[in-house]
């Protein structure tokens, strides 16, 4: 029951797609920890349909290390799986199932490490943090972090086990997702100048986004790929029929910025363009024209100092000081924002994440077990973080 492979089989068996509840998985983890004598705190969402879990092992009078993972997974809808996505399948040294890489493999290793942690003379506590709704904007962890920020002994270090093939990652970009609703005025297409074509004005906004994105290339950081902040429009919808000037159009766009940059500056520039250049023209035809912007989700970037004690500790534990960055986002920037130094390091590769037949190799799972064993050994000494 305590080995990481067996625990992974249980975790994959719970369908924790972000649109579903994660409570069955959380209750399983809570019961497992309770059976080992570890008490847990649950922090529920407003509907009490999802929860974060927080548990502590070791001394309670000093800061410690957080082992953090998200419990939700992306959908399998429309993907051509050849194995059951919510049942563990082992073949040729690979463990298949949704979330095996992103990131239930890491959570399984963390739970498997608990008996060793309990048997060790830890000089600082180890905390286990399991969150919900990471895949839809790093939503759930925020209430957990609000709790931690108020505590007298806030953790010093967080290790987020997103799949990095157990290579230490110190940075990723921040992200802002926005929605723009353009409202004009409909009319018969034969009298097009009498209407306000929402699709055409949306197109002007998207074109301006492209120009803003081009200017972002002027500021680069070679540690990231691509080495500049990026903008892209991913969804657009509008119009009823070809012979009707469309009154409404909606599009969603995202901004992924280098950690030192604020993605809201891009949204602000686009809003200024809408108010100063487009709305006067639209309202000259129809006074009720509107352009509205709504924030869908956001999370900050991460860039931990490679010379920090936190970075050096994880380098010793995973056996590599070749620090890197990743293109995808994590909850790491949110931990960092409240003063908890954060590194990203976990088993598997994001090359397999979010895809059909997602897998983590047995070798990676075993290597993660070893990394956590080395971390436990380090924490039995007087580690200075």
């Amino acid at each position: 029951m305590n080995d990481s492979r067996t625990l992974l089989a249980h975790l994959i068996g719970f369908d924790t797609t972000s649109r579903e509840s994660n409570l069955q998985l959380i209750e399983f983890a809570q019961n497992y920890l309770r059976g080992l004598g570890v008490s847990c705190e649950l922090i529920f969402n407003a509907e009490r349909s999802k929860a974060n879990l927080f548990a502590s092992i070791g001394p309670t009078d000093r800061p410690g290390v957080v082992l953090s993972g998200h419990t939700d997974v992306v959908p399998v809808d429309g993907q051509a799986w050849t194995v059951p996505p919510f049942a563990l399948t082992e073949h040729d040294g690979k463990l298949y199932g949704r979330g095996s890489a992103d990131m239930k493999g890491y959570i399984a290793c963390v739970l498997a490490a608990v008996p060793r942690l309990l048997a060790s003379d830890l000089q600082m506590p180890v905390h286990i943090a399991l969150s919900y709704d990471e895949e839809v904007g790093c939503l759930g962890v925020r209430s957990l972090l609000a709790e931690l920020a108020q505590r007298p002994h806030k953790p010093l270090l967080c290790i987020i086990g997103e799949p990095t093939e157990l290579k230490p990652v110190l940075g990723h970009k921040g992200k802002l997702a926005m929605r723009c609703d353009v409202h004009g005025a409909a009319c018969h297409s034969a009298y097009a100048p009498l209407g306000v074509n929402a699709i055409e004005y949306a197109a002007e906004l998207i074109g301006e986004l492209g120009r803003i994105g081009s200017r972002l290339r002027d500021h680069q950081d070679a540690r990231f790929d691509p080495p500049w902040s990026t903008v892209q429009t991913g969804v657009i919808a509008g119009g009823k029929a070809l012979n009707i000037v469309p009154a409404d159009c909606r599009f969603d766009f995202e901004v992924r910025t280098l950690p030192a940059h604020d993605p809201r500056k891009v949204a602000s520039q686009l809003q200024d363009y809408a108010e100063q250049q487009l709305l006067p023209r639209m309202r000259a035809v129809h006074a009720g024209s509107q352009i509205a912007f709504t924030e869908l989700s956001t999370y900050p970037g991460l860039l931990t100092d490679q010379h920090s004690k936190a970075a050096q500790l994880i380098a010793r534990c995973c056996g590599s000081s070749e620090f890197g960055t990743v293109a995808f986002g994590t909850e790491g920037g949110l931990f960092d924002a409240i003063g908890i130094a954060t590194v990203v390091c976990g088993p598997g590769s994001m090359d397999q994440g979010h895809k059909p037949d997602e897998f983590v190799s047995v070798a990676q799972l075993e290597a993660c077990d070893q990394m956590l064993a080395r971390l436990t050994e380090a924490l039995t000494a007087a580690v200075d973080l």
Side-chain angles (χ1 to χ4, degrees):
M1 179 63 181
N2 290 343
D3 69 278
S4 54
R5 187 204 173 284
T6 302
L7 287 164
L8 179 58
H10 284 285
L11 298 177
I12 287 177
F14 300 111
D15 179 358
T16 53
T17 305
S18 300
R19 63 183 176 232
E20 307 292 344
S21 171
N22 75 331
L23 290 185
Q24 283 189 315
L25 185 151
I26 290 295
E27 290 167 2
F28 168 81
Q30 182 181 38
N31 290 334
Y32 169 83
L33 291 168
R34 280 178 175 172
L36 295 171
V38 179
S39 61
C40 305
E41 303 172 58
L42 300 188
I43 302 170
F44 290 88
N45 65 351
E47 299 77 20
R48 297 187 70 83
S49 60
K50 300 182 180 183
N52 301 305
L53 180 148
F54 189 75
S56 300
I57 301 166
T60 60
D61 61 347
R62 66 201 72 172
V65 176
V66 180
L67 305 177
S68 178
H70 65 81
T71 60
D72 62 316
V73 298
V74 296
V76 299
D77 306 2
Q79 294 187 338
W81 284 73
T82 63
V83 296
F86 297 108
L88 187 69
T89 300
E90 183 171 355
H91 181 68
D92 287 343
K94 298 174 182 177
L95 302 170
Y96 293 87
R98 173 57 88 218
S100 54
D102 184 20
M103 54 182 298
K104 292 180 178 179
Y106 176 73
I107 295 174
C109 292
V110 168
L111 294 178
V114 172
R116 184 191 296 268
L117 291 167
L118 290 169
S120 301
D121 183 21
L122 296 175
Q123 298 302 298
M124 61 174 55
V126 172
H127 309 288
I128 298 172
L130 306 181
S131 65
Y132 64 88
D133 283 1
E134 187 271 350
E135 296 288 5
V136 290
C138 300
L139 303 181
V141 76
R142 297 170 196 261
S143 59
L144 171 59
L145 293 176
E147 291 279 340
L148 294 184
Q150 303 302 316
R151 301 198 174 181
H153 302 295
K154 185 174 63 179
L156 290 172
L157 167 64
C158 176
I159 303 172
I160 295 181
E162 293 279 5
T164 67
E165 296 181 313
L166 294 171
K167 299 173 183 176
V169 165
L170 302 182
H172 63 72
K173 295 179 180 179
K175 178 184 173 182
L176 172 67
M178 297 287 295
R179 173 165 291 165
C180 178
D181 285 283
V182 182
H183 178 69
C187 70
H188 194 292
S189 61
Y191 304 97
L194 302 180
V196 178
N197 191 313
I199 291 178
E200 292 180 358
Y201 280 100
E204 292 197 46
L205 285 164
I206 293 170
E208 179 64 13
L209 265 179
R211 290 185 286 273
I212 294 172
S214 294
R215 294 194 292 270
L216 293 175
R217 290 174 176 251
D218 294 338
H219 304 280
Q220 299 194 13
D221 185 334
R223 291 172 293 184
F224 293 86
D225 181 21
W228 58 82
S229 302
T230 60
V231 179
Q232 77 102 19
T233 302
V235 178
I236 187 168
K240 300 294 185 182
L242 184 57
N243 61 351
I244 302 174
V245 170
D248 294 288
C249 185
R250 166 182 288 180
F251 65 92
D252 296 346
F253 65 94
E254 69 170 22
V255 187
R256 292 182 181 262
T257 54
L258 297 170
H261 298 170
D262 182 0
R264 287 191 173 87
K265 289 185 178 179
V266 171
S268 179
Q269 290 176 47
L270 188 65
Q271 190 166 5
D272 289 345
Y273 175 77
E275 292 175 353
Q276 296 169 15
Q277 301 295 323
L278 302 189
L279 279 174
R281 289 160 43 199
M282 295 169 70
R283 288 172 177 168
V285 178
H286 176 68
S289 298
Q290 297 285 345
I291 299 176
F293 294 89
T294 305
E295 182 176 303
L296 300 177
S297 65
T298 185
Y299 57 74
L302 174 70
L303 191 58
T304 301
D305 182 0
Q306 67 175 6
H307 301 295
S308 66
K309 294 174 181 177
Q312 295 306 312
L313 173 62
I314 193 62
R316 293 199 304 273
C317 293
C318 68
S320 174
S321 59
E322 295 184 10
F323 301 111
T325 65
V326 289
F328 57 85
T330 78
E331 297 169 334
L334 294 167
F335 278 91
D336 185 71
I338 65 166
I340 301 175
T342 301
V343 295
V344 183
C345 187
S349 168
M350 196 55 84
D351 288 343
Q352 280 77 53
H354 296 204
K355 294 180 179 178
D357 292 351
E358 178 182 350
F359 71 86
V360 64
S361 72
V362 173
Q364 280 281 294
L365 212 62
E366 292 174 347
C368 187
D369 289 334
Q370 294 166 11
M371 180 190 77
L372 294 174
R374 288 191 289 270
L375 176 66
T376 302
E377 291 174 3
L379 297 181
T380 59
V383 177
D384 180 14
L385 291 178

